[in-house]
Amino acid sequence: MLEPLYLNLGQHDALSEEEKGLLAGAMTIELDFATGQDIVSEGSRPGYSTLIIEGLAARYKVLEDGGRQFTSLQVPGDFVDLHAFLLKTMDHGIIALSPCRVVAADHSRLRAITEQAPHLTRLLWLDTLVDGAIHREWIVAMGRRSKTSHLAHLVCELFVRLQVVKQTNGMSFRLPLSQAELADVLGLSIVHMNRVIGALRRLGVIGWSNYIVTILDWQQLVEIAEFDPTYLSMNREPR
Amino acid sequence: MLEPLYLNLGQHDALSEEEKGLLAGAMTIELDFATGQDIVSEGSRPGYSTLIIEGLAARYKVLEDGGRQFTSLQVPGDFVDLHAFLLKTMDHGIIALSPCRVVAADHSRLRAITEQAPHLTRLLWLDTLVDGAIHREWIVAMGRRSKTSHLAHLVCELFVRLQVVKQTNGMSFRLPLSQAELADVLGLSIVHMNRVIGALRRLGVIGWSNYIVTILDWQQLVEIAEFDPTYLSMNREPR
DNA sequence: CGTCGGGTTGAGTCCATTCAACTTCGGTGG
DNA sequence: CCACCGAAGTTGAATGGACTCAACCCGACG
């Protein structure tokens, strides 16, 4: 059940059986969300933190003019609101972009982990730090990359992240996002989003249909994206 | 000496004298950097984490075409690379934008804090979480705000953050950033950056000269920015 | 068979960029 | 002392990228 979490945390440093047990003991709540439902809503003060077991979710904010911006995409094994454990008040919402199966840990249990299990605490902290590193990479992409490069970078990132939690299939993965939703990731209009996808398709580096993305030329995709996975900290070392 | 750090961490929850002592004991290294110098460089594996006492610094990445994007601005009291304690390898550089006085804590000492001082550990973790919240707000600004609103939002954020560490003077604060550097914050060209600043000036909401920003109409600035400081977690509560 | 939610394409407008020139100001050396 | 220089800021004009508006296609589904 918690396999995706173990894969996610375990990519950075070895997880002991004891630590796995602590996590399993903490994740007591089990929930399902339908596509489009809020897993956590902006302004709320959740008493537990939620982990995705299956499905795709996203953090988002909505502006007064109705514009929406996703600030992250969350895949199986990701703690979507681990930060709420200490930030307390949600400054953004989290929406299920596909049917999501999640488990959650009461904050009192997380607190107990920080009191008794320093190494596991550091791994949870690290998980939020990788989150931050991904945010920084998105800022760079939005500010200084061409739109084509930005999209290519996103595809690279998702492929690598999904591979860690065994959610890829060869060079393909499922990305249940409409082009309108993707536009809210990249900060583009729907029409232009469509043209950017078309550009990458015409170059023959990716295929994209029925919510399945296929990487046809990884080498070229990485070049277009200037993708360097360092920021994902995917090497195992003592933390 | 560590006053800015105490003010910064202390805004979220009370810091005990003992915890202040632990921090003071950890921050053993003292350094100065000149404008333009790298405080930490991309790809390095620093053995200590750096805190700004005085000056302005920024995290940045450079792309192959020479384009630069700042991913955060760091003010006194900010740990510029606390994340390196667990991420190990720097995926970005940190540059001094003005003369900077910094102190640093060896990672072995931070590790000791995580083993012995759970509450202080949570406060340090929280500091990196606020970092992440700021990143998310920047992503929203880059993706879905007008350029004018983006700049207004940045001014609001900096004013509030600087106020916490007593670096404002009435409704003014010093921002030692050239327009070219500011352009690398917002992801704009220099020329357009100049026009966006001009627009806010002409509206009479801010003054900007000699690296001093003055807020002339806070109410209107907040409206243009749609600024809501929730994401900065500036309320004291048990963490 | 009609409708609806995606996806795709064309055309015109607007925003942001580039290229280029010119100003202002502080510093520096003849 | 002042002439010169370079860094930063400002402005105009032309180009190109991204947006809006609008139409049309298509497959799923009732």
Side-chain angles (χ1 to χ4, degrees), chain B:
Chain B
M1 172 73 152
L2 288 182
E3 205 45 45
L5 176 62
Y6 301 154
L7 289 169
N8 186 16
L9 293 183
Q11 69 178 312
H12 309 298
D13 189 6
L15 261 184
S16 71
E17 286 308 314
E18 201 186 330
E19 288 170 332
K20 288 185 187 178
L22 274 171
L23 286 168
M27 316 293 305
T28 51
I29 310 162
E30 228 180 295
L31 292 167
D32 279 284
F33 290 91
T35 304
Q37 256 192 303
D38 258 8
I39 295 176
V40 191
S41 30
E42 178 170 355
S44 67
R45 296 175 60 88
Y48 47 82
S49 284
T50 307
L51 172 81
I52 302 199
I53 296 300
E54 214 187 300
L56 182 70
R59 305 196 182 121
Y60 71 95
K61 289 204 187 195
V62 174
L63 300 184
E64 275 166 27
D65 67 358
R68 178 174 66 169
Q69 177 68 48
F70 290 127
T71 58
S72 74
L73 292 177
Q74 311 286 151
V75 303
D78 285 350
F79 260 110
V80 296
D81 60 347
L82 181 50
H83 50 262
F85 164 48
L86 294 174
L87 290 175
K88 304 299 180 190
T89 303
M90 291 297 294
D91 59 309
H92 61 270
I94 299 177
I95 185 175
L97 295 172
S98 75
C100 281
R101 156 141 307 195
V102 310
V103 294
D106 200 274
H107 285 168
S108 59
R109 308 239 183 183
L110 292 177
R111 191 192 176 95
I113 287 176
T114 67
E115 299 281 341
Q116 295 154 24
H119 179 253
L120 183 54
T121 300
R122 289 196 296 272
L123 287 186
L124 291 173
W125 183 354
L126 175 58
D127 189 65
T128 64
L129 291 175
V130 172
D131 242 51
I134 293 172
H135 290 333
R136 284 191 290 274
E137 204 54 70
W138 282 33
I139 290 172
V140 173
M142 303 191 90
R144 288 293 182 222
R145 288 185 206 279
S146 71
K147 303 306 169 181
T148 314
S149 171
H150 186 173
L151 177 59
H153 198 277
L154 182 72
V155 171
C156 289
E157 177 186 301
L158 285 173
F159 181 71
V160 167
R161 286 171 60 193
L162 287 169
Q163 216 170 22
V164 168
V165 287
K166 303 193 195 300
Q167 302 278 317
T168 54
N169 182 358
M171 291 307 285
S172 296
F173 60 92
R174 195 175 143 68
L175 187 64
L177 272 184
S178 70
Q179 294 190 358
E181 287 164 332
L182 238 206
D184 286 343
V185 173
L186 299 234
L188 294 178
S189 67
I190 298 178
V191 171
H192 199 236
M193 189 69 253
N194 179 274
R195 292 183 172 135
V196 173
I197 294 174
L200 273 193
R201 260 205 285 246
R202 245 170 290 112
L203 282 171
V205 296
I206 58 164
W208 197 314
S209 68
N210 276 102
Y211 300 108
I212 303 282
V213 178
T214 304
I215 296 168
L216 302 171
D217 186 340
W218 174 254
Q219 197 51 47
Q220 208 188 333
L221 186 67
V222 164
E223 258 167 50
I224 293 171
E226 285 184 36
F227 181 70
D228 171 357
T230 304
Y231 71 102
L232 295 171
S233 291
M234 295 189 312
N235 47 333
R236 268 202 178 177
E237 51 179 308
R239 311 270 181 174

